[in-house]
Amino acid sequence: MSHDHDDRPRLTEAQAEAALNPPPGRNGGDLVVESLQGLGATTVFGLPGQHALGMFDALRRSSLSYVGLRVENNAGFAADAYGRITGEVAPLLLSTGPGALTSLAALQEAAAASAPVLAISSQIPTAGLGGGRHGYLHELRDQKASFRDVVKSVHTVRTASQIPSAIAAAWESALTAPHGPVWIEIPQDVLLAETTLPPVSAMDATPRELYPRPELTLAAARLLSRAERPAIIAGGGVVRSDASGKLLALAEKLDAPVVTTFGGKGAFPWEHPLSLQSWLEDRHTTDFLESADVLLVIGSGLGELSSNYHTFSPRGRVIQIEADAGKLESNHPALGIHSDAREALADLLEAVETREDPTAPTRVRTLLEQVRDRIDAQDLTLEQRVLASVREALPDTAPSFWDMTILAYWAWSAFDSRHPNTMHSAQGAGGLGYAFPAALGAAAADPGRPVLAVSGDGGSMYSIAELATARQYDLPVTWLIVDDGGYGILREYMTGAFGEATATELARPDFVALAESFGVPAVRTTPDDLAADLAKALAAPGPSVVVLPALLKMFAPTHL
């Protein structure tokens, strides 16, 4: 069996000499950072710990930029955002046991949102692997078992020569559609041991493409071309695969109205005549989608939020394009197409026939008017004014990151993100504390543009330590903290369900004074001054905090 070597990278004379005579003083940690560099990484996130010191020491012998956060979970959120913004693998370096486990919630969010995070954790010494009770610091019976149900793949290294291949395999896994987090663990002694292996050169870890089967594309194209009332639901898969342009072309070719899920914000132009925007938590939208005779669902599993809490019951044929095979037909019978959204849309665009429907823009306008009338009848002008102020202050191409807070729940439905891949939230897994550390990760990916983080006072307390990170690296992140004195949405849920709320009221600091104690400029604002204060903060270099004391309310649900 012969191999074609023409495409293999050629070593320079200096690299060939280094391969024969490796430079002294290198260890397993060097193999880690050399492998990451060989795969194209430029920035890594993390937090050092005793077992991982070999890996962190090797960073100073590399060209990698390191962003160190104060809590492992926040480092995971930063890596998640870096992966979402760039579409590249985001390495996350962690220690053993408590350090590793503290990242679990962030990795769950990365899995739910398909963010390519490469978590590399240390382990206890090799002699302790296998579940024996040796009493090593941070010892777990089976550390990787804690991660197996969260990440896409787990990889355990036992010798130095396994490091480059394990990292390459994990890298490929993270970038294979659907993107997601992966886990590698390397024992302390392997990281510390001196190595005589040559320096790692460029490596190939090309993810395999996920193409649709042609007979399924043809069947879907026939259904859509002959439909009387087609509609499209565009999910996060459209954003992750950079397929917004193809979605727009297909919708216009079919004259099909498009609604974006909360994870798919920005996948379709907000003010387009065919745009149903993102009002998925609205019965008028649910009715509209149920009445479609052919419904194309792209890059969404039609989960709880995307189905108006599972009250959505389509009456027509459903076509579902999804890179995660486990989500195909998981909630509704469909013509299921296991494919990356971009590849499937490209093939569909060629296969469908042009159809014209002059009634489509009118039906879209009517629906949006019905939604607007429903919201306007609820006396929620403060909430709409605050959201409009954020939109006014935020530059069109600036990324925004939203915590699980009432203003974010409004933004899911009502915020025009204006560009694909600019609005991100923790709605995948739904954990608190996402916005600010994620915004730091996005700023590390592109320090030339401002980034906005939006939190409530409860969620912000998860991330206060990262004000030190923002200051240390001078990252251009403006943090809007909406202070309502507690867990606002839980207060609403409990009052609605039980008549009163328990455990939702919070003592909190003077956020302005606290931010300033970190050397981060801060201002207390009002709804009237919010747009101006936010715009000023976003235009200034470095980090800043804007605190808005306000009691915001949610719009009434339609699924109950």
Side-chain angles (χ1 to χ4, degrees):
M1 180 177 173
S2 64
H3 297 276
D4 183 0
H5 292 268
D6 289 348
D7 295 331
R8 300 276 174 87
R10 297 272 186 259
L11 293 185
T12 64
E13 194 61 40
Q15 286 173 317
E17 184 60 33
L20 287 173
N21 300 288
R26 290 164 60 253
N27 59 23
D30 288 276
L31 294 173
V32 172
V33 297
E34 290 166 7
S35 298
L36 293 174
Q37 287 174 265
L39 288 163
T42 56
T43 303
V44 300
F45 300 88
L47 202 157
Q50 180 175 321
H51 291 140
L53 294 181
M55 191 159 56
F56 281 82
D57 177 61
L59 280 175
R60 65 186 171 87
R61 293 186 288 279
S62 78
S63 61
L64 294 171
S65 294
Y66 170 67
V67 180
L69 287 94
R70 302 305 191 267
V71 183
E72 287 87 354
N73 201 50
N74 293 338
F77 284 144
D80 164 300
Y82 186 96
R84 294 193 204 191
I85 288 288
T86 63
E88 299 166 4
V89 171
L92 171 65
L93 308 184
L94 301 166
S95 191
T96 320
L101 296 176
T102 301
S103 73
L104 272 169
L107 294 175
Q108 184 189 358
E109 177 57 42
S114 298
V117 175
L118 174 62
I120 305 177
S121 156
S122 56
Q123 246 294 22
I124 58 175
T126 314
L129 298 181
R133 310 304 286 154
H134 302 279
Y136 287 108
L137 181 72
H138 305 330
E139 181 179 276
L140 292 165
R141 285 192 300 272
D142 186 2
Q143 178 175 273
K144 66 181 179 293
S146 297
F147 295 84
R148 189 175 282 115
D149 187 48
V150 176
V151 300
K152 286 184 70 178
S153 58
V154 295
H155 311 257
T156 297
V157 165
R158 290 175 182 271
T159 65
S161 58
Q162 294 174 6
I163 289 173
S165 293
I167 291 176
W171 186 282
E172 183 177 324
S173 174
L175 280 185
T176 297
H179 292 178
V182 292
W183 179 261
I184 304 171
E185 54 182 24
I186 308 173
Q188 177 189 29
D189 53 327
V190 176
L191 289 171
L192 290 174
E194 190 168 350
T195 182
T196 56
L197 289 169
V200 182
S201 62
M203 291 203 295
D204 182 25
T206 308
R208 63 187 185 281
E209 300 290 348
L210 188 56
Y211 296 110
R213 299 209 319 267
E215 76 276 13
L216 297 177
T217 299
L218 188 60
R222 288 269 168 87
L223 286 169
L224 288 165
S225 301
R226 298 170 182 176
E228 291 182 15
R229 292 178 317 283
I232 299 173
I233 299 177
V238 177
V239 177
R240 292 284 83 76
S241 66
D242 192 22
S244 303
K246 288 179 167 44
L247 170 65
L248 175 61
L250 181 68
E252 290 180 341
K253 191 170 183 180
L254 292 170
D255 258 352
V258 178
V259 67
T260 62
T261 70
F262 305 151
K265 296 286 289 187
F268 196 74
W270 189 256
E271 300 290 354
H272 192 282
L274 293 172
S275 173
L276 297 167
Q277 300 179 356
S278 302
W279 287 97
L280 283 168
E281 286 189 45
D282 185 281
R283 190 64 223 179
H284 296 303
T285 304
T286 307
D287 290 341
F288 187 103
L289 296 171
E290 285 181 351
S291 71
D293 61 336
V294 179
L295 182 68
L296 175 62
V297 183
I298 314 165
S300 171
L302 292 182
E304 187 174 55
L305 297 177
S306 304
S307 62
N308 203 357
Y309 298 90
H310 295 301
T311 60
F312 170 60
S313 182
R315 295 194 294 273
R317 289 292 300 271
V318 177
I319 302 163
Q320 186 185 14
I321 296 167
E322 176 55 59
D324 184 341
K327 290 182 181 177
L328 283 177
E329 296 191 84
S330 60
N331 285 307
H332 299 282
L335 174 67
I337 303 177
H338 184 214
S339 171
D340 178 70
R342 184 181 177 86
E343 303 298 344
L345 282 168
D347 287 2
L348 264 184
L349 199 48
E350 286 186 17
V352 297
E353 299 164 20
T354 301
R355 65 177 293 282
E356 294 182 2
D357 181 0
T359 72
T362 307
R363 289 187 290 119
V364 167
R365 256 193 329 271
T366 301
L367 168 69
L368 293 177
E369 285 166 7
Q370 290 174 319
V371 173
R372 198 171 300 114
D373 290 345
R374 185 178 81 82
I375 299 299
D376 287 348
Q378 295 178 45
D379 190 25
L380 296 165
T381 52
L382 171 63
E383 289 76 6
Q384 295 184 74
R385 187 154 56 104
V386 168
L387 196 62
S389 294
V390 175
R391 180 61 279 173
E392 180 187 336
L394 187 68
D396 283 3
T397 59
S400 60
F401 292 83
W402 304 70
D403 219 324
M404 300 298 283
T405 187
I406 286 177
L407 189 59
Y409 300 163
W410 271 92
W412 290 349
S413 293
F415 193 74
D416 173 8
S417 51
R418 294 196 183 155
H419 284 274
N421 203 26
T422 54
M423 180 181 169
H424 302 276
S425 72
Q427 58 95 25
L432 277 175
Y434 173 78
F436 188 55
L440 298 179
D446 184 1
R449 58 179 175 172
V451 184
L452 175 68
V454 180
S455 300
D457 56 291
S460 72
M461 294 299 287
Y462 282 61
S463 316
I464 287 294
E466 305 311 337
L467 283 167
T469 304
R471 182 73 284 162
Q472 180 169 345
Y473 296 99
D474 201 32
L475 295 167
V477 174
T478 293
W479 192 7
L480 172 61
I481 300 174
V482 182
D483 182 1
D484 66 3
Y487 298 121
I489 194 68
L490 299 179
R491 182 193 286 140
E492 278 206 15
Y493 288 163
M494 291 192 82
T495 303
F498 310 115
E500 59 182 294
T502 305
T504 59
E505 305 315 296
L506 299 173
R508 62 255 185 241
D510 177 338
F511 287 109
V512 171
L514 182 61
E516 288 174 342
S517 76
F518 282 92
V520 174
V523 63
R524 186 174 285 98
T525 191
T526 66
D528 290 337
D529 297 328
L530 176 61
D533 285 340
L534 257 190
K536 183 178 176 183
L538 285 160
S544 56
V545 171
V546 177
V547 181
L548 173 67
L551 183 63
L552 305 181
K553 296 290 185 185
M554 274 306 293
F555 50 83
T558 63
H559 65 277
L560 299 176

